[in-house]
Structures are given as structure tokens and as C-alpha cells.
Amino acid sequence: MREPTASGRPAARPAPASQQTMRRQNLGLVLQQVAAGAADGAPPSRAEVAAASGLTRAAVSSLVEELIGAGLLAELPPAPSGRVGRPGTALTLDPRGPAGLGAEIGVEHLAACLVDLRGEARVWRRVPADNRGRPPGAVLADLAALLRAIAAEAPGLRPAGLGVAVPGLVGAESGLVRRAANLGWSDVPVVAGLRSALRRAGAPELAALPAEADNEANLGGLAELWLGGHGGAGDFVHISAESGVGAALIVSGRLFRGARGFAGELGHVPVEPDGPPCACGARGCLEQYAGERAVLAAAGAGARRGEGGLSGGAGAGTGGRGDWIALLADRAADGDPAVRAALDRAGTALGTAVAGAVNLIDPAAVILGGGYAELGEWLLPAMRRELAARVTVRPWSDDWLAASSLGRRGPLLGAAVGVVRAIVEDPGRFTG
């Protein structure tokens, strides 16, 4: 007998899954098994997929042929196994299949990349662009031109979706940037605006792609979960900096967004109640001690810097003009006492803010990403010192605080890889 609902009426019996729905689910199950094996360095055979998934070998063989026909799977040459009989043929994600297109809007740069189904970046470009205070339409026009050029550089790949990283509060479902203070944007429909810009740029096929925008710190945290060396923990705080300071909270292997989608504004956690005023209207926020302008000013680089971003501007990651992260790292490595003191001060403030997060949510790890990762050598000691002093009611180890190997690549990789992960989870729209 069915249990009654709160209204007193019997609960509706769940509708049985249709054969088409079941097949679509099984296609995703097979593709996910292959993706997991490939990620572990052990591409599975059909028999291994059947054993892991619980499906029959005949069903797996039929599903694999469908996925190969759709350009989602490929067979590797048979490898000798040392066993009697015909060696099994391993399966892998097809590197020529649907691809993920990623875009990033920074305060001092634009970037785009194209990743294949394996999550490997096949084309990558980052260009200088002073976007602070520029009209959104002009920024999106430049980004559309960059995306069109990226797509043209990899004619063998088929972009299947577009992810956009933005340094601000973003409604991920609506594609609306509620506020990006360091760009000077409020209520900007980034996804809709970029579609229009792509059509004007002569790329209607890119304008028609499924597209989403998200906060760059969120995407950096997801990239760490999917590609970094610390995602296996499943529960961690990822801290990064663009113009401001942001955090992504990964809980049980999922991004925690909060009730309204704006969790992670670590930069506006107060570390000194009577500290200097912040652009947000409060005082003593973390950004006033560990944000890019504060660090550069304390290091004596502010007068030459202008209004650049802590995550780096032109030539970020290459030591090019305007790359202030590289400048700070170089000067710290050379022993510049003012730079080292500024980074120690920033690390102390970061440690104070992060200690509150650690005590509140008990993460398995805290990861420094973005520009902070490249400055980790000088930020981490002060952070560890502060965490040791402030996290005293629960276990804490210095080993649980580390720098990401992805660095400033994280947000853009997160935007692009999110597209291909969606394909792997639900390949049905590509199999006809």
C-alpha cells in the first residue's frame, strides 16, 4: 500500500523509466566508466566496463558501438596481456570528438581555450586587455573575436558548449553578472551579450552553443576538483585572487553555492574590525590586506602598477608586460625585504580568514589557487603560522594547506572542462 502524502492523498506511483530513458542512462554509465579508467591511466576493455557497471557484455558492446559512431569513444590498439586468447581492446574517450570551449574575462586580460573530451587543452590563448571600466559590449566583442579565432585553430574539434569565467557575482543559471566591482559592471547579461557579439563577429555556430557563465573562483575550485592533485579529498576550500579574493567551497565532491548562489566571498570577511575601509562599504576586509592593490602598495610597487590585477594582466604566467604576480615572485625570490614583508602580511591575513572557514566547515584541505599559487612560497609560512595558532579545537596539519598545480589556469580550465564533463554525464544528445 502506498504511503499517504501530507495532504492525506495516496502518493503517486513513480512512472516506470522508458526504454529510451534507460538506454540514455546506460550510455552515460558506459562513457563514465571509460572516462574514469582513462583518468586512472588504465583504459578499460568492454568486459571490464561490463563488470564495473553491472550491465551485460552484449549490452555494453551495443552501447560502445553507438558511442563510437557518435565520435565519443575510440578503440586503442590491442595490447598483449600475457593471457591465452585474443587480447582485449581498450576503450578511451575520442580526442577528436565534441570539445569544450572556455572563455575568461579578467580585469587586465581575456582568455580562451578549447579542451577535448579527455580534458586536455588543445588550443590556449591569453591576451592583454584593460577591461576595468570598459563598456561590457566592447569587452564581449573582443572576447567573441578571440573565441572565433580559437575555434578556427582547431578545425578537427567540434565545440559542444561554452563556459565563461567572470570575476564577480554571477547567476550561473541566468548568465547575469549581478556585480563585478573591479570591472565596474552591474546586472550585465554576459551570456546573452556574448551570443550577440558572436553573431556580429561572424560566428553564428558558436552563438548557438549551450553557454553558462560562473564566478571565476568557483570555476577555479571545480578545476582543482577535476584536474588538480587535491580533488580526491572531496572536501576542500580553494582560495584564489583575481582583482579581489574569492573562495570555492567543495563539499562532498560538489560546489557549495549557498542559498542565493553567492557563497565564497572570502575577500569581504573582516580580519581587522577597525581596519581600512573597503570598496564594499565595510572596514578591515581581507582584501585590504591580501588583495592585489594592498599587497602591491605594501611592496612598494603600487606607484608603477596602476590598477592591474593580482592574478596578473598581460602575459600572465609568462612574465610578460603587466604580469604583477611574476614581478612580485621575482622580487621575492631576489630577497626584496619590502616584497617579502608584504607577502608575509598578506599570508597572516589570509591565515586569519581561513582559520574561521576551517573551524566552521572542517575541510580536508585548503588550496591556494590563482595568483596565490605562484606566490605560495612566501604566503604559506605565515598562513601556516596563523592556522596553527587559531585552529586549536580540532586536528590540523600543515600538510592540509598547499598550493594548486593549476595556478592561474584554473578558472579557464574549469569553464571549458565543465562542458565536456556534462557530455560524459549525459551523451544522449550526441548519439541521436
Side-chain angles (χ1 to χ4, degrees), residues 249-277:
L249 310 181
I250 303 298
V251 180
S252 299
R254 300 177 66 87
L255 175 67
F256 177 76
R257 294 185 178 276
R260 297 166 186 83
F262 302 137
E265 284 296 302
L266 188 70
H268 298 293
V269 169
V271 295
E272 184 61 57
D274 296 324

Side-chain angles (χ1 to χ4, degrees), residues 307-324:
E307 296 293 327
L310 181 60
S311 69
T318 63
R321 179 182 58 84
D323 187 350
W324 294 99

Side-chain angles (χ1 to χ4, degrees), residues 46 105 122 136 146 152 200 202 204 237 249 278 282 324 339 397 420:
R46 284 172 167 80
I105 299 170
R122 303 282 290 277
L146 181 59
R200 289 193 298 270
V237 178
L249 310 181
C278 180
W324 294 99
V339 171
S397 168
V420 297

Side-chain angles (χ1 to χ4, degrees), residues 38 127 171 187 321 425:
V127 298
D187 294 327
R321 179 182 58 84
E425 289 174 4

Side-chain angles (χ1 to χ4, degrees), residues 11-90:
R13 191 184 302 277
S18 68
Q19 186 174 0
Q20 183 179 7
T21 300
M22 287 294 295
R23 187 166 185 82
R24 184 164 180 165
Q25 291 173 349
N26 289 337
L27 284 166
L29 180 59
V30 168
L31 198 58
Q32 290 161 39
Q33 291 291 336
V34 174
D40 292 337
S45 65
R46 284 172 167 80
E48 289 168 333
V49 171
S53 66
L55 299 171
T56 66
R57 290 195 182 192
V60 167
S61 182
S62 174
L63 294 165
V64 164
E65 291 302 323
E66 191 170 347
L67 291 166
I68 290 175
L72 298 172
L73 283 185
E75 293 181 301
L76 297 172
S81 63
R83 301 175 185 173
V84 177
R86 183 181 176 183
T89 301

Side-chain angles (χ1 to χ4, degrees), residues 239 266-267 269-271 286 347-359 386-387 390:
I239 306 164
L266 188 70
V269 169
V271 295
L286 175 62
T348 299
L350 281 165
T352 301
V354 170
V358 169
N359 282 322
E386 205 66 19
L387 283 162
R390 295 178 181 275

